[in-house]
């Protein structure tokens, strides 16, 4: 092989390597770095940034560690799963979150998300530790409709979105989301672990035919500027979350 051919072959090889997802073991060894590199505004498609009024990179202003139990109800049977979630609240309305499954005090990373004002995930990554490399995340790629009532979550407000999602597992599809909030109330009325005011966020997810396939209820904690799902309901399965501990750490100026 002459020198020119060798350079071409090398370039092709490097190009192929550049498109590969990182190794799972490398992500587990430094998940903070992975989140900073893969869950930020630079990873959100330009069309999505424009549809949401423009975005700027944000700084972490606090971290919130939440311990909870997820109750899965299917065919009349209940199963309980311990979860721990660390939410990194940014000053641009986004949140990075890492969710861990807990079994016999052993923690297993399971999910990464980049959330938008607690309403939906711009990027969602389900970590499958049995595989060698990470799979591409599920990502919102464009909006055909976005609510004009954006910003911090407000009481008695409706939010409407329709967007296209790219999923490595099922391909590209369209999804609708309609959410509404009610009156503010003391968060401690829902759970004494919480403080400040809270709002319920009730959302319906629809497919291309506008039929509702998933209903969710979340609680928005205004003091922390985060939302947490407390129940979901699909045709054959329901889930509930019960919170057992919360720790808040403000970032130093």
């Amino acid at each position: 092989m002459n020198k020119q051919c060798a350079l071409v072959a090398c370039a092709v090889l490097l190009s192929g390597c550049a498109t590969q997802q990182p190794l799972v073991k490398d992500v587990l060894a430094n998940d903070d770095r992975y989140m900073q590199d893969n869950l930020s505004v630079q990873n959100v498609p330009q069309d999505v940034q424009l549809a949401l009024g423009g975005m700027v990179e944000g700084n972490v202003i606090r971290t919130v560690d939440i311990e909870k139990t997820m109750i899965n109800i299917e065919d009349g049977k209940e199963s309980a799963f311990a979860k721990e979630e660390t939410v990194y609240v940014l000053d641009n309305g986004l949140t990075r979150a890492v969710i861990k499954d807990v079994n016999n005090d052993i923690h297993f990373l399971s999910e990464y998300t980049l959330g938008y004002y607690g309403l939906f995930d711009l990027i969602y990554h389900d970590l499958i530790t049995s595989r060698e490399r990470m799979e591409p995340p599920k990502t919102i790629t464009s909006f055909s409709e976005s609510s004009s009532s954006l910003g911090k979550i407000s009481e008695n407000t409706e939010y409407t979105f329709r967007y296209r999602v790219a999923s490595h597992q099922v391909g590209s599809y369209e999804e609708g989301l309609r959410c509404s909030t009610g009156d503010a109330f003391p968060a401690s009325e829902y759970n004494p672990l919480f403080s400040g005011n809270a709002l319920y966020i009730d959302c319906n997810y629809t497919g291309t035919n506008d039929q509702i396939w998933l209903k969710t209820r979340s609680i928005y904690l205004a003091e922390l500027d985060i939302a947490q799902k407390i129940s979901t309901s699909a045709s054959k399965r329901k889930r509930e979350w019960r919170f057992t501990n919360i720790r808040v750490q403000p970032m130093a100026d």
Side-chain angles (χ1 to χ4, degrees):
M1 180 182 295
N2 61 38
K3 184 176 180 180
Q4 184 177 2
C5 290
L7 289 173
V8 171
C10 183
V12 171
L13 178 62
L14 290 175
S15 174
C17 292
T19 62
Q20 285 187 318
Q21 293 295 307
L23 295 170
V24 169
K25 66 179 181 65
D26 291 340
V27 173
L28 294 177
N30 192 348
D31 63 299
D32 285 342
R33 171 53 59 187
Y34 179 79
M35 285 192 292
Q36 291 176 29
D37 292 343
N38 295 274
L39 299 176
S40 63
V41 170
Q42 68 180 350
N43 308 114
V44 177
Q46 191 68 31
D47 288 348
V48 173
Q49 296 183 38
L50 293 174
L52 297 177
M55 290 179 165
V56 295
E57 291 290 353
N59 298 307
V60 178
I61 56 177
R62 73 180 66 87
T63 61
V64 185
D65 293 307
I66 303 167
E67 297 177 16
K68 52 191 173 181
T69 302
M70 184 186 78
I71 310 298
N72 190 71
I73 306 168
E74 194 166 2
D75 296 328
K77 298 179 181 179
E78 292 190 7
S79 303
F81 303 89
K83 302 271 187 179
E84 287 191 10
E85 179 174 356
T86 298
V87 183
Y88 299 82
V89 184
L90 308 181
D91 58 9
N92 60 357
L94 304 183
T95 58
R96 295 188 192 111
V98 55
I99 302 171
K100 301 177 182 179
D101 295 328
V102 185
N103 187 3
N104 293 326
D105 292 326
I106 300 175
H107 296 68
F108 303 91
L109 289 175
S110 59
E111 299 168 75
Y112 296 103
T113 68
L114 179 67
Y116 185 78
Y117 285 108
L119 293 173
F120 51 80
D121 292 329
L122 292 166
I123 301 173
Y124 173 84
H125 209 146
D126 188 2
L127 180 64
I128 303 175
T129 55
S130 62
R131 295 183 178 171
E132 181 182 10
R133 291 191 178 275
M134 300 284 284
E135 289 188 347
K138 184 170 71 173
T139 305
I140 293 179
T141 57
S142 63
F143 278 86
S144 57
E145 181 180 0
S146 61
S147 175
S148 59
S149 303
L150 298 175
K152 284 185 177 293
I153 302 300
S154 303
E155 58 183 321
N156 300 309
T157 304
E158 289 193 355
Y159 303 88
T160 303
F161 304 92
R162 181 161 289 278
Y163 46 80
R164 181 157 291 278
V165 180
S167 169
H168 175 73
Q169 296 177 329
V170 298
S172 178
Y173 61 92
E174 191 175 78
E175 187 169 75
L177 175 63
R178 184 180 296 275
C179 300
S180 62
T181 61
D183 295 328
F185 61 92
S188 58
E189 289 184 2
Y190 175 78
N191 190 311
L193 292 170
F194 300 152
S195 59
N197 286 331
L199 297 168
Y200 287 127
I201 308 174
D202 292 302
C203 296
N204 293 331
Y205 289 80
T206 61
T208 54
N209 56 3
D210 286 331
Q211 288 189 338
I212 297 172
W213 66 272
L214 178 68
K215 295 183 177 183
T216 69
R217 167 166 275 199
S218 301
I219 186 168
Y220 173 71
L221 304 174
E223 187 175 82
L224 302 178
D225 199 18
I226 65 172
Q228 287 284 300
K229 280 191 176 62
I230 57 178
S231 67
T232 64
S233 177
S235 60
K236 296 182 179 180
R237 181 174 65 188
K238 295 182 179 180
R239 286 178 174 172
E240 297 175 357
W241 283 262
R242 300 169 188 172
F243 303 93
T244 56
N245 196 18
I246 184 169
R247 299 180 299 276
V248 181
Q249 180 179 345
M251 303 304 292
D253 294 331

